Amino acid sequence: MRIGALLSGGKDSLYAAWRMIQTGHEIACFITIQSRNPESYMFHTPNINLTRLQAEAAGIPLVVQETDGQKEKELDDLKTAIQQGVHEYGLEGIVTGAIQSVYQLSRIERICHQKNLWCFSPLWLCDQESYLHSLVSEGFEVIIAGVFAEPLDETWLGLKIDIPFIERMKTINKKYHVSPAGEGGEYESFVCNAPFFKKKINIIETKTWFEHGAGGYLITRAELD
């Protein structure tokens, strides 16, 4: 089946695409919604402009649709992007990286139903600790691009998701009930390499910020290696 993968730049969207590849589907294109609103209800925003490098690294075409990020209205822009994917790449389905957000998944499923498309969410209600271990063992290279909850602070920005990271998150989860995979918005991520990438993203320059308990890791220069 020819699938369009919703691509945010973070781990969940790319791992979901990888799962579809593993089950014999073709990722015919990526679809990125580039929101002007950092508080978008639907769409990831940290380093969203670098999904073009991820698509290039994977050798997969990318559909980019901008949005003002207004609640509910931003769904019209998602519809436009999906329709473009259907028209240009013959999509038969869409894959999402949704894990627990009923708000996001229900809206994407509704659009797919309207467009007569299949909707796949291979990470839905997964065991988050097992999922993080799969990311590491299967060769994903992922860094933390934003933190938005205690006790995560500026020292977490730019960290790799590896076994020590998972162990720290287990401890924090027990004490603070922070989602291990950041599904509650506690942190955001960026994927530098994946098993289906032909090239790796090399981060050259960054800027970080942290204030009022939240922070970001802005990649200002990167290239394919």
Side-chain angles (χ1 to χ4, degrees), residues 91-166:
L91 301 183
E92 301 167 88
I94 296 295
V95 60
T96 85
I99 296 177
Q100 288 184 334
S101 175
V102 174
Y103 178 91
Q104 292 178 331
L105 183 58
S106 64
R107 283 155 177 77
I108 295 168
E109 286 182 335
R110 184 167 66 239
I111 291 171
C112 288
H113 179 73
Q114 292 169 350
K115 301 291 184 183
N116 198 29
L117 298 169
W118 291 88
C119 185
F120 302 94
S121 298
L123 292 176
W124 186 248
L125 299 182
C126 68
D127 180 273
Q128 294 185 31
E129 185 183 331
S130 296
Y131 160 48
L132 292 178
H133 277 285
S134 295
L135 274 174
V136 174
S137 65
E138 294 176 33
F140 280 79
E141 295 182 23
V142 185
I143 61 168
I144 303 305
V147 291
F148 307 98
E150 291 184 348
L152 309 182
D153 59 21
E154 65 270 24
T155 64
W156 289 75
L157 295 172
L159 282 184
K160 290 184 179 181
I161 292 183
D162 53 15
I163 299 303
F165 174 92
I166 296 170

Side-chain angles (χ1 to χ4, degrees), residues 36-47:
R36 301 181 187 94
N37 177 11
E39 304 300 325
S40 168
Y41 283 81
M42 279 290 295
F43 306 114
H44 172 113
T45 58
N47 298 303

